[in-house]
Amino acid sequence: MENSIAQLTDKLLASYQEVGAINHLDGQNLPSKRVIVRITQELLCLLFPGFFEERPLRADEVRTVTARRLRSVATALEREVYRSLVYMPPPEYPKKSLRQAARSITLGLLESLPRLREILRTDIEAAYNGDPAALSREEVILAYPFVETIAVQRLAHELYLAKVPLIPRMMTEWAHSRSGMDLHPGAQIGTHFFVDHCTGTVVGETAIIGNHVKMYQGVGLVARSLAAGQALKGQKRHPTIEDHVTIYAGATIMGGDTVVGAGSTIGANVFLTTSVPPRSLVIQKDANIRVMPKGERTRHEPDIQI
Amino acid sequence: MENSIAQLTDKLLASYQEVGAINHLDGQNLPSKRVIVRITQELLCLLFPGFFEERPLRADEVRTVTARRLRSVATALEREVYRSLVYMPPPEYPKKSLRQAARSITLGLLESLPRLREILRTDIEAAYNGDPAALSREEVILAYPFVETIAVQRLAHELYLAKVPLIPRMMTEWAHSRSGMDLHPGAQIGTHFFVDHCTGTVVGETAIIGNHVKMYQGVGLVARSLAAGQALKGQKRHPTIEDHVTIYAGATIMGGDTVVGAGSTIGANVFLTTSVPPRSLVIQKDANIRVMPKGERTRHEPDIQI
Amino acid sequence: MENSIAQLTDKLLASYQEVGAINHLDGQNLPSKRVIVRITQELLCLLFPGFFEERPLRADEVRTVTARRLRSVATALEREVYRSLVYMPPPEYPKKSLRQAARSITLGLLESLPRLREILRTDIEAAYNGDPAALSREEVILAYPFVETIAVQRLAHELYLAKVPLIPRMMTEWAHSRSGMDLHPGAQIGTHFFVDHCTGTVVGETAIIGNHVKMYQGVGLVARSLAAGQALKGQKRHPTIEDHVTIYAGATIMGGDTVVGAGSTIGANVFLTTSVPPRSLVIQKDANIRVMPKGERTRHEPDIQI
C-alpha cells in the first residue's frame, strides 16, 4: 500500500503542476472559506443580539460582549478584505493603499449595522404580517430561513458596493447552502421584503426590488440568454420589481428591461418576459391543464404516460 | 482602531435600545437553536438505532445507550419546552402549572416514539418500493434526505398537537435546511408517504395528506392569496390530498377547499386550483410548448430571446 | 422521572425487536455516514489543493500534505468500501476476495484523481465563461455550490461504476444537502458541464449528458411513471441530452427514450416528454399566460383568487 501511496502522490503532484486554474498552492492571499463563515455568523449575532448565542445573553453583559465581538470581527474581516483586495485589486483603490482601504471598508461595514438593523426590522414585520402560520416575531427570527438569508445579503451588498472581490459571494453562497435561496450580493432590495419557504428562489446580480415585495419559493428573477457570457458583465440583465408586488411560487421573470409595475400580482409558475403595467394580474390560463378520468387518454396526448 | 470599536459599540447599543422586535437581550426563556438541533438529532438516533451513531452500536449495549439517550433528551427537551411555554403560554395550559405541562408534553413525545417508528417504517417501505434507484432499505435510511425530513416532521407534529410554541417549527426548519423540503409541523400526513429528491417541496400548515401518497421535488401544497395575512390564522388554507395520489415535480396545488380525489395523478408543473374527482389524471396540455428550428422565430414570439 | 425513563426504554427496546427494517443494531459492516462525509471532504482537498484547507498551504509542504492525505483517505475508504461490499456483495466480486476488491477499488478511485481534475477544469471553465457575474475562476471554486456538487458526483460515479453499494449515494446526498442539486452517481456527464444556482436541479440515475451542456436551477431530467417501482431497476429511465444544449430554469425533461438533439435550447418551465431534433428551440407559448388589470377577472378564471 505504501508503494501505491508514493506513486499516487507523484502522479497527483504532476497533475498539480500541469493542470491550471484549479490549484491554489501559494494561497497566502485568498480569503478563507471557514473564516468568512465565522465572520458572517458573528455579524448575525451583532444584528440580532441574544438570538443566536450559545447561551442566553444577560442585559448587564451586552456592552462587554458587543465590544468584544466587534473587535473580533473587525480584526478578522480586515485581514480577509485585505487578502481579497490584494488578490484582485479593484481600479477604485490605489494599489499602494490597499491596507488602508481594507480598514476603511471594514469600519464602513460595521458602521452600517445600525442602519441594516432598521431595514431588517421591516423585513421581519413583513414576514410576520404576511404569514398566518407565523406565531410571533421571535419565531420568525429563530426559525425562518428567510431572516438569515436576507440579513446575509444585506451585509454582503455593503461589501459589494465597496467593490470587495470574492467575499460578498462567499457570504451569500453560505446562506444559499442553508436556505436554498440564492440572493446575489449585487441585487438592490427595498424594505419590507419577504420570501416564504425560500428554497429555489434566485435573484440575480442586477435585479432591482422595490419596497413591500413578497415572493415565494422557486421564484426566479433571471437573465435572458447568457450565451454572450462574460461579455455581458456590468449590463443590467435582471428584472425590476416595483413596490407592493407579490410573486407566487415557481414564477420566472426574465430580462433586464422587464419591469413589473407597482401593485401587480404574478401567479404561480408564470413565465414572464415582458413588462407589465402597475396593478396587473398575470396568471397561467386555465387552458393549460387538462383534467380527465384515468384510462381515457386520447391520441392527442400520446407521450405523457404518467 | 480601539477608538472606533468604542464608538461602534455605543452606536450599536443605542440601536439595540431603539429598534424593537429584533432584540432578545433578557432571553432566559427562549429555546436555544443549538439545543433544539441536538435534541432532534438524538431523537433521530432513538428512532433509527444504529444508523446515525458515530461508532457502530453493539447489541449488548443497546439498553444502556437507549436509556442514557432517553434521559438526556428528556432533561433537555423538558427545559426547552418549559422555556417556550413561558415565552408564549397557550390558553390550553394554566399558567401556574407550566412546569408540569412541560414534563407531561416531554414524556408524551417520548412515549410516541414506538408509534412513530411504525409509521416511519411504512414511509421507508414506500421509498424503497417507489424508487428503482434504491438499492436497499438501509440505503434509503442512510442516504435519502426524505427519511430525516419526514421523521422530523412527525416528531414536530406531536409537539404541534400539544400546542408547544416555537420548537416544532425550529425542528422542521432544521430539516428544511438539510433537504430543501419544507414540511410544516401542522400538516397531517398519512402512512406510506414518499417524496423523491425533496428539494423545493413545500407542504403548508393545514394540508391533509392521505395514505400511500407519492410526491416529487418542487411540489407545493400551498395557500391561495395570503393578502389577509395573520387574519387567516387557524383557517384551512392548504389542500387535501386523498389516498394513493401521485404528484409529479413542480406541480402546485392551491387552496384549502381543493381536494385531489383518491388515486389521482397530477402531472409535472401543473397548477391546480380546483378539486378533481377520484382517479383523475391532470396534465399540462401539449399545446403549451412550441418546438421549432432555431432561427425560425416568428413575430408571434418576439419576447423570449433565449 | 427515572421510572418513566425505565419504562420508555423497555417500550422502545420492544419496538426495536418488533419493527423490522428500520434498525441496524449489529451494524459492524454498514459504512458510517460521518466517515463518508470526512472522506469526501478530503477527496475535495486532493482535487483542489489549497482551496479548502483550514490554513494556507505552502508550496514546500504540498508533497507531505498530499501523501498524508492520500494515506488517510486510502485507509478510511478501504474500510468503508469493504463494509459496503460485505453488506451487499455485488455479483461481480467473488465473496471470498472482498478485502482484495475493496483495496483495488480504493486505489482505482485515487488513481482516477488526476483524470477527474482534467474534467473538473473544463467544468470550472464552463462556469466562468457562462456566468457574467463570475469574477474569476478562483471565485467559482471558492463560492459556487456547483463546483463541489459536480466534483462529488464525478468521484461517486467512479465508485458507482465499480459497483460499490451505498457509498456513492451517501456521497452525492451529502452534496445534495449542501447545494440543493441532486446529481445521481449513475448519471453519465460529459465535459464543460455547468449548472447555475443549482437548487432543485435533479439528474436521474440513467441520464446521459453530453459535452458543453448548461443548465439552471430547478431543471429535472427525470423518469416517466415509476409506478412499476423496483421492477424498472436497470432500465434507461432518464433522458439523453446531446452536446451544446442549454436548459433554462424549471424545465422538466422526461423519459428514457427522450433525446434532446445537439445545440438545442429548452426554455424555462417547459415540460418536454418527446425527443427534439438537433438545434431545436423549445419554449412555452405566449398563449399560456394572461395579463389583465386587477379587478377585471372574468367568469372564465373563477378559481385563482390570487
Side-chain angles (χ1 to χ4, degrees):
Chain A
M1 182 60 122
E2 200 49 38
N3 271 354
S4 309
I5 297 293
Q7 283 173 26
L8 289 166
T9 305
D10 285 342
K11 282 181 195 159
L12 209 42
L13 290 175
S15 156
Y16 292 170
Q17 293 270 322
E18 285 157 28
V19 179
I22 66 171
N23 305 319
H24 197 77
L25 290 176
D26 40 359
Q28 303 291 0
N29 54 357
L30 272 192
S32 152
K33 204 161 177 171
R34 282 166 201 255
V35 176
I36 296 301
V37 169
R38 204 160 57 231
I39 289 170
T40 307
Q41 288 170 322
E42 294 225 71
L43 287 166
L44 288 172
C45 287
L46 286 166
L47 288 171
F48 303 105
F51 274 104
F52 301 130
E53 325 289 328
E54 305 212 23
R55 57 180 188 78
L57 195 58
R58 292 195 322 276
D60 65 1
E61 60 181 357
V62 174
R63 172 171 292 273
T64 324
V65 169
T66 304
R68 192 193 314 137
R69 189 164 271 152
L70 278 167
R71 205 173 292 122
S72 151
V73 170
T75 311
L77 183 58
E78 186 178 330
R79 188 178 54 233
E80 301 302 317
V81 169
Y82 176 68
R83 283 180 176 174
S84 81
L85 293 176
V86 167
Y87 154 73
M88 194 182 237
E92 285 79 0
Y93 301 112
K95 290 205 182 178
K96 283 181 188 173
S97 61
L98 293 182
R99 288 213 176 270
Q100 271 175 270
R103 169 154 302 187
S104 118
I105 290 167
T106 299
L107 290 176
L109 181 67
L110 297 178
E111 267 158 20
S112 76
L113 294 178
R115 177 169 49 80
L116 296 184
R117 279 171 47 80
E118 298 275 0
I119 306 176
L120 287 167
R121 184 179 51 169
T122 72
D123 298 330
I124 290 157
E125 277 307 300
Y128 176 70
N129 290 327
D131 183 5
L135 285 177
S136 67
R137 291 163 186 80
E138 282 76 14
E139 192 195 44
V140 168
I141 301 175
L142 272 176
Y144 279 44
F146 167 71
V147 173
E148 183 182 276
T149 306
I150 186 64
V152 171
Q153 197 275 347
R154 295 196 186 282
L155 289 162
H157 185 61
E158 298 293 314
L159 296 178
Y160 176 92
L161 293 176
K163 310 287 181 186
V164 177
L166 299 173
I167 297 175
R169 186 70 182 263
M170 290 167 80
M171 290 171 70
T172 58
E173 287 296 348
W174 174 73
H176 180 195
S177 79
R178 290 167 59 87
S179 69
M181 176 161 71
D182 187 0
L183 304 178
H184 194 283
Q188 298 170 45
I189 302 177
T191 67
H192 300 84
F193 185 52
F194 177 46
V195 184
D196 204 358
H197 309 299
C198 290
T199 312
T201 289
V202 168
V203 174
E205 182 178 18
T206 64
I208 299 175
I209 296 177
N211 300 326
H212 295 278
V213 168
K214 184 176 175 183
M215 313 201 311
Y216 287 82
Q217 73 274 16
V219 166
L221 306 186
V222 302
R224 259 184 246 280
S225 174
L226 296 174
Q230 286 284 332
L232 295 167
K233 187 168 274 176
Q235 290 185 26
K236 185 169 188 309
R237 307 181 302 277
H238 307 94
T240 295
I241 311 297
E242 295 185 349
D243 295 349
H244 292 282
V245 166
T246 298
I247 308 177
Y248 282 88
T252 299
I253 303 178
M254 190 183 262
D257 50 358
T258 299
V259 178
V260 175
S264 294
T265 295
I266 312 295
N269 291 7
V270 158
F271 179 36
L272 182 67
T273 61
T274 49
S275 295
V276 295
R279 292 195 57 69
S280 294
L281 177 64
V282 184
I283 55 169
Q284 282 205 9
K285 287 198 177 178
D286 285 359
N288 84 325
I289 65 170
R290 194 186 142 103
V291 182
M292 60 193 136
K294 281 194 176 176
E296 296 193 17
R297 316 293 311 278
T298 73
R299 64 190 141 78
H300 299 299
E301 286 90 16
D303 305 305
I304 311 162
Q305 294 152 8
I306 53 181
Chain B
M1 181 58 123
E2 199 50 37
N3 272 353
S4 309
I5 297 292
Q7 285 172 25
L8 289 167
T9 305
D10 286 342
K11 282 181 196 159
L12 210 42
L13 290 175
S15 156
Y16 292 170
Q17 293 270 322
E18 286 157 29
V19 179
I22 67 171
N23 304 320
H24 197 79
L25 290 176
D26 40 1
Q28 302 291 2
N29 53 358
L30 273 192
S32 153
K33 205 161 176 170
R34 282 165 202 257
V35 176
I36 297 301
V37 169
R38 205 163 55 233
I39 289 170
T40 308
Q41 288 170 323
E42 294 223 71
L43 288 166
L44 289 171
C45 287
L46 285 166
L47 287 172
F48 303 106
F51 274 104
F52 301 131
E53 327 288 328
E54 304 212 24
R55 58 180 187 77
L57 194 59
R58 291 197 321 275
D60 63 3
E61 59 181 358
V62 175
R63 172 172 291 273
T64 325
V65 169
T66 303
R68 192 192 313 137
R69 189 164 271 153
L70 278 169
R71 206 173 292 124
S72 151
V73 169
T75 310
L77 184 59
E78 185 178 331
R79 188 177 56 232
E80 302 301 317
V81 168
Y82 177 68
R83 284 179 175 174
S84 82
L85 294 176
V86 167
Y87 154 74
M88 194 182 238
E92 284 79 0
Y93 301 111
K95 289 205 182 180
K96 285 181 187 171
S97 61
L98 293 182
R99 285 212 178 273
Q100 271 174 270
R103 168 153 302 186
S104 117
I105 290 168
T106 300
L107 290 177
L109 181 68
L110 297 179
E111 267 158 21
S112 75
L113 294 178
R115 176 169 49 80
L116 296 184
R117 279 171 47 81
E118 299 274 358
I119 304 176
L120 287 167
R121 184 180 51 169
T122 71
D123 299 330
I124 290 158
E125 277 306 300
Y128 176 70
N129 290 327
D131 183 4
L135 285 176
S136 67
R137 290 162 186 82
E138 282 76 14
E139 192 195 44
V140 168
I141 300 175
L142 273 176
Y144 280 44
F146 167 71
V147 173
E148 183 182 275
T149 306
I150 186 63
V152 171
Q153 198 276 346
R154 296 197 185 279
L155 289 163
H157 185 62
E158 299 292 314
L159 296 178
Y160 176 92
L161 293 177
K163 310 287 182 186
V164 178
L166 298 172
I167 297 175
R169 187 69 182 263
M170 290 168 79
M171 290 171 71
T172 57
E173 286 296 348
W174 174 73
H176 180 194
S177 80
R178 290 166 60 88
S179 70
M181 176 161 70
D182 187 359
L183 303 179
H184 195 284
Q188 299 170 44
I189 302 176
T191 67
H192 300 85
F193 185 52
F194 177 46
V195 184
D196 203 359
H197 309 299
C198 290
T199 312
T201 290
V202 168
V203 174
E205 183 179 17
T206 63
I208 299 174
I209 295 177
N211 300 325
H212 294 280
V213 168
K214 184 176 175 184
M215 313 200 311
Y216 287 81
Q217 73 275 15
V219 166
L221 306 186
V222 302
R224 260 184 247 279
S225 174
L226 297 174
Q230 286 285 331
L232 295 168
K233 188 168 275 174
Q235 290 184 27
K236 184 166 191 306
R237 306 181 304 278
H238 307 94
T240 295
I241 311 298
E242 296 185 348
D243 296 348
H244 291 285
V245 166
T246 298
I247 308 177
Y248 281 88
T252 299
I253 303 178
M254 190 181 263
D257 50 359
T258 300
V259 178
V260 175
S264 294
T265 296
I266 312 296
N269 291 6
V270 158
F271 179 35
L272 181 68
T273 62
T274 49
S275 295
V276 295
R279 291 197 56 72
S280 294
L281 177 65
V282 183
I283 56 169
Q284 282 205 10
K285 287 199 178 178
D286 285 0
N288 84 327
I289 65 170
R290 195 185 141 102
V291 182
M292 60 194 136
K294 281 193 174 175
E296 296 193 18
R297 315 294 309 277
T298 74
R299 64 191 140 80
H300 300 300
E301 285 91 15
D303 305 305
I304 311 163
Q305 293 152 9
I306 52 181
Chain C
M1 182 58 124
E2 198 50 37
N3 272 353
S4 310
I5 298 292
Q7 284 171 27
L8 288 166
T9 305
D10 285 342
K11 282 180 196 160
L12 210 42
L13 289 176
S15 157
Y16 292 170
Q17 292 270 321
E18 285 157 27
V19 179
I22 67 171
N23 305 320
H24 197 78
L25 291 176
D26 41 359
Q28 302 292 1
N29 52 356
L30 272 192
S32 152
K33 204 159 175 171
R34 283 166 201 255
V35 175
I36 297 300
V37 169
R38 205 162 55 232
I39 289 170
T40 308
Q41 289 170 322
E42 293 224 73
L43 287 166
L44 289 171
C45 286
L46 286 167
L47 287 172
F48 302 106
F51 274 102
F52 301 131
E53 327 287 329
E54 305 211 25
R55 57 179 190 79
L57 195 59
R58 292 195 324 275
D60 64 3
E61 58 182 358
V62 175
R63 170 172 292 274
T64 324
V65 169
T66 303
R68 192 192 315 137
R69 189 163 271 151
L70 279 168
R71 205 173 293 123
S72 151
V73 170
T75 310
L77 184 58
E78 185 178 331
R79 189 178 53 232
E80 302 302 317
V81 168
Y82 177 67
R83 284 180 175 174
S84 81
L85 293 177
V86 167
Y87 154 73
M88 194 182 238
E92 284 80 359
Y93 301 112
K95 289 203 183 180
K96 285 181 187 172
S97 61
L98 294 182
R99 287 213 177 271
Q100 269 176 272
R103 169 153 301 186
S104 117
I105 289 167
T106 299
L107 290 178
L109 180 68
L110 296 178
E111 266 158 23
S112 75
L113 293 178
R115 176 168 50 79
L116 295 184
R117 279 171 48 80
E118 298 275 359
I119 304 177
L120 287 167
R121 183 177 55 169
T122 71
D123 298 330
I124 290 157
E125 277 307 299
Y128 176 70
N129 290 328
D131 182 4
L135 285 176
S136 67
R137 290 163 186 82
E138 281 77 14
E139 192 195 43
V140 169
I141 300 175
L142 272 176
Y144 280 44
F146 167 71
V147 173
E148 183 182 274
T149 306
I150 185 64
V152 171
Q153 198 274 347
R154 295 196 186 281
L155 289 163
H157 186 61
E158 298 292 313
L159 296 178
Y160 176 93
L161 293 177
K163 310 287 181 186
V164 177
L166 300 173
I167 297 175
R169 186 69 182 262
M170 292 168 79
M171 291 172 70
T172 58
E173 287 296 347
W174 173 73
H176 180 195
S177 80
R178 291 166 60 87
S179 69
M181 176 161 71
D182 187 0
L183 303 179
H184 194 284
Q188 299 171 44
I189 302 177
T191 67
H192 300 84
F193 185 51
F194 177 46
V195 184
D196 204 358
H197 309 299
C198 291
T199 311
T201 289
V202 168
V203 174
E205 182 178 17
T206 62
I208 299 174
I209 295 177
N211 300 326
H212 295 279
V213 168
K214 185 176 175 182
M215 314 201 310
Y216 287 82
Q217 72 275 15
V219 166
L221 306 186
V222 301
R224 260 186 245 279
S225 173
L226 297 174
Q230 286 286 333
L232 295 167
K233 187 166 274 175
Q235 289 184 26
K236 186 167 187 309
R237 306 181 302 277
H238 308 93
T240 295
I241 312 297
E242 295 185 349
D243 295 350
H244 292 284
V245 166
T246 298
I247 307 177
Y248 282 88
T252 298
I253 303 177
M254 191 182 262
D257 51 357
T258 299
V259 178
V260 175
S264 294
T265 296
I266 312 296
N269 292 6
V270 157
F271 178 35
L272 182 67
T273 61
T274 48
S275 295
V276 296
R279 290 195 59 70
S280 294
L281 177 64
V282 183
I283 56 169
Q284 281 203 10
K285 286 197 177 178
D286 285 359
N288 84 324
I289 66 169
R290 194 184 142 103
V291 182
M292 61 194 134
K294 281 192 176 178
E296 295 193 18
R297 314 294 309 280
T298 74
R299 62 189 144 78
H300 299 301
E301 285 90 20
D303 306 306
I304 311 163
Q305 293 150 9
I306 51 180

